[in-house]
Amino acid sequence: YEPIDPATLPQADAIVVLSGSIWHTRASSGYLHTRIGAAHDRFDTGVRAWRAGRAPIIAFGSGVGRTPNAPTEGPFSRDRAISLGVPADAIVVGGDAYYTSDEATSVAEQLRARGATRIILCTSAFHMQRAIWHYEQEGFDVTPLPSHFLTRGADERFEWRQLIPSARALEQTDVCFKEWLGRAAQSVP
């Protein structure tokens, strides 16, 4: 999936932004540090689409992290969107979810209650195919809005130094493997 200017997308009933961009670290004192990770581009891209008037509703998934008793991402994203000028009544927050399938079911239930059938789905480019499949299984007409790119896209060119092992290459291999495993486990085409 290549980058898309959110302003060029067709009109939809809602923009759905998948979770996966905040991380928690707890100190031995109990202090909880929350940081926004690399996938925060999902949030930024989704909000840009909302500001461009592509849909009246923006929905945030609420992935559950591995840190006990830490806030989920949906309420965090809602508060962040409100601080950027998105009205509270234009925001939907999904329930707690461990997997993309759980998140799709939770968000879908709330969007159907508001009459949504056409969505713009914003997630990491490498995750888009599996995410689209889950939301189509929930009955939505899906327009992809990819974000959080791990390559330079059209500017990516082979260089011999890419054959030298690196942490970045290992991370990309890990991401690809996880997606392939997820697709196989859930029979995603």
Side-chain angles (χ1 to χ4, degrees), residues 108-116:
E109 183 179 310
Q110 294 198 40
L111 290 179
R112 279 194 288 273
R114 293 185 72 169

Side-chain angles (χ1 to χ4, degrees), residues 34-113:
T34 301
R35 74 174 175 87
I36 299 171
H40 78 277
D41 187 40
R42 296 174 179 186
F43 174 89
D44 295 338
T45 303
V47 170
R48 278 198 309 274
W50 183 86
R51 284 187 172 152
R54 300 298 85 203
I57 298 169
I58 187 164
F60 298 105
S62 283
V64 175
R66 296 177 188 253
T67 304
N69 302 315
T72 59
E73 191 163 338
F76 180 86
S77 295
R78 178 197 57 226
D79 294 347
R80 202 168 150 216
I82 289 169
S83 76
L84 294 172
V86 178
D89 63 349
I91 300 171
V92 168
V93 175
D96 292 358
Y98 285 97
Y99 304 104
T100 304
S101 55
D102 302 337
E103 195 165 87
T105 300
S106 173
V107 170
E109 183 179 310
Q110 294 198 40
L111 290 179
R112 279 194 288 273

